[in-house]
Amino acid sequence: METLKFDEGYREYDVNGDKSRIIRFRVDPNLKERIEKAMADIDKLREKYGKMSGSDLYKAGVEFREIINAAFDSDICTPAFGNASPFALLKNGKALYEAFLEALLPALEKEFKAVQSEIRPEVQKYLGEDS
């Protein structure tokens, strides 16, 4: 069987310099919308569980992972959090997921801008200004 080889648009990041913890996702035109939806879903998750404890905390963690992984169409939570709860508190008082998103979102903005600048002008007119 022959193999097709082409650039699929994947970006890879290691987590905190650990080459065994790789986050890999494709930057595609729908990613931005999926992330925006994920952020809204996370807000709903906070409302649903309120002040979490015990089994609610575990359930919320599972749902959080599903939301984030669906947005990226890839398991990025396992390399980011391992088996830890995304709601684990850090020394600075933030949750683990907050620190992760604060690192990830600027990298995503950079990726979106890079992809946008790579789009040929004749294609850009079909994608609109927000692409």
Side-chain angles (χ1 to χ4, degrees), residues 14-28:
D14 66 65
V15 176
N16 292 323
D18 184 344
K19 302 293 183 200
S20 69
R21 297 170 61 197
I22 303 294
I23 292 173
R24 183 174 189 258
F25 57 89
R26 181 182 286 134
V27 178
D28 70 69

Side-chain angles (χ1 to χ4, degrees), residues 10 24-26 28 31 34 68-75:
Y10 282 100
R24 183 174 189 258
F25 57 89
R26 181 182 286 134
D28 70 69
L31 179 59
R34 291 194 312 263
I68 295 296
N69 289 341
F72 286 89
D73 197 28
S74 177
D75 179 7

